[in-house]
Amino acid sequence: MSAQPEEVLNLLKIVADESRLTLLRLLNQGEYSVGELAGHLNLGEPTVSHHLSRLRKVGLVTLRMDGNQRFYRIHESGLAHFKSLVTHLEDFPLQPESSVSDNRWIDRLGLSPEDSQVLYDHTHNGKLTHLPRKHKKLVVILIWLATLFQPDTLYTEGEVNEVIQAVYREDYVGLRRDLVDMGYLRRERGGGKYWLTPGSDHPA
């Protein structure tokens, strides 16, 4: 097959979420607005829009604009492609054994053994491999990300994205938002400039 194992893994990560699976089932029945989908899932529209963006990025749903309204439906060819990939999982070549991760950078952070274990479990050679589901573990990830920013330095939004993308490319926007919402980064009114909250570059 022409697809790479990385593509299949990415697709599986995207759909391995109860809300996204529900969205796919609904959109397979017909077209819905964001508001209608939010009502079905009992979620806020921004959250639903985020899930839809992830599904659209991998070609599983399509978007139609009608004025200010956004309508989504299943992308039939994209769904068929996904089904074909899953059906032929056994045909993909074996990957070479992963290299051993150098975790000395984690030890230098001076975190507690419990928090260090979170980074051991979610990184490989300084790159974030996946996001934890539990909020407590996500906080550890954010504490680490904060150490990647220089104190007393102003960053544009694009520069913040670049710092995060250097270690995790998949959901850098969500992580940027979390860093601000959780107080590790501060943002100028209007979102023009970002800077590290004093003390955030030193793990607690």
Side-chain angles (χ1 to χ4, degrees):
M1 296 183 65
S2 59
Q4 297 298 312
E6 292 80 7
E7 179 186 1
V8 182
L9 181 60
N10 186 46
L11 280 164
L12 291 174
K13 286 180 179 179
I14 294 297
V15 301
D17 180 277
E18 183 177 356
S19 295
R20 291 175 201 151
L21 286 174
T22 301
L23 285 170
L24 287 176
R25 287 195 292 268
L26 287 169
L27 295 173
N28 195 43
Q29 299 171 6
E31 189 175 70
Y32 288 86
S33 70
V34 175
E36 290 171 333
L37 292 169
H40 278 289
L41 273 69
N42 197 26
L43 294 173
E45 290 191 19
T47 300
V48 171
S49 294
H50 171 72
H51 287 312
L52 290 168
S53 176
R54 301 290 298 278
L55 292 170
R56 184 170 175 243
K57 185 176 180 180
V58 295
L60 291 175
V61 302
T62 61
L63 166 65
R64 179 178 68 85
M65 296 296 298
D66 186 0
N68 293 326
Q69 282 276 71
R70 292 168 294 161
F71 293 90
Y72 290 85
R73 67 181 306 118
I74 206 76
H75 191 301
E76 294 184 1
S77 61
L79 183 60
H81 176 62
F82 173 62
K83 290 179 179 179
S84 176
L85 292 177
V86 174
T87 301
H88 296 89
L89 280 177
E90 71 278 6
D91 296 334
F92 287 105
L94 293 173
Q95 296 296 296
E97 186 174 349
S98 300
S99 60
V100 176
S101 180
D102 183 354
N103 292 327
R104 286 176 293 182
W105 65 273
I106 298 177
D107 300 331
R108 289 194 292 268
L109 291 176
L111 298 171
S112 68
E114 181 182 4
D115 288 350
S116 294
Q117 188 62 51
V118 174
L119 293 179
Y120 295 148
D121 293 340
H122 293 82
T123 65
H124 183 82
N125 287 332
K127 304 285 187 179
L128 186 59
T129 57
H130 61 289
L131 293 176
R133 294 179 178 274
K134 293 184 177 180
H135 176 76
K136 182 178 180 180
K137 293 183 178 181
L138 178 61
V139 169
V140 178
I141 300 299
L142 296 178
I143 290 173
W144 162 51
L145 291 178
T147 68
L148 304 180
F149 293 89
Q150 296 298 318
D152 302 317
T153 301
L154 293 178
Y155 295 85
T156 65
E157 184 169 281
E159 289 169 337
V160 173
N161 291 343
E162 288 179 5
V163 172
I164 299 173
Q165 285 180 299
V167 296
Y168 192 66
R169 301 191 65 84
E170 186 173 333
D171 192 16
Y172 62 92
V173 174
L175 285 172
R176 186 191 71 225
R177 187 185 306 115
D178 289 338
L179 283 166
V180 173
D181 291 346
M182 297 294 292
Y184 297 102
L185 289 183
R186 293 181 180 173
R187 179 176 56 190
E188 187 179 46
R189 186 179 298 274
K193 295 292 184 180
Y194 295 74
W195 63 94
L196 182 69
T197 301
S200 296
D201 57 326
H202 300 291

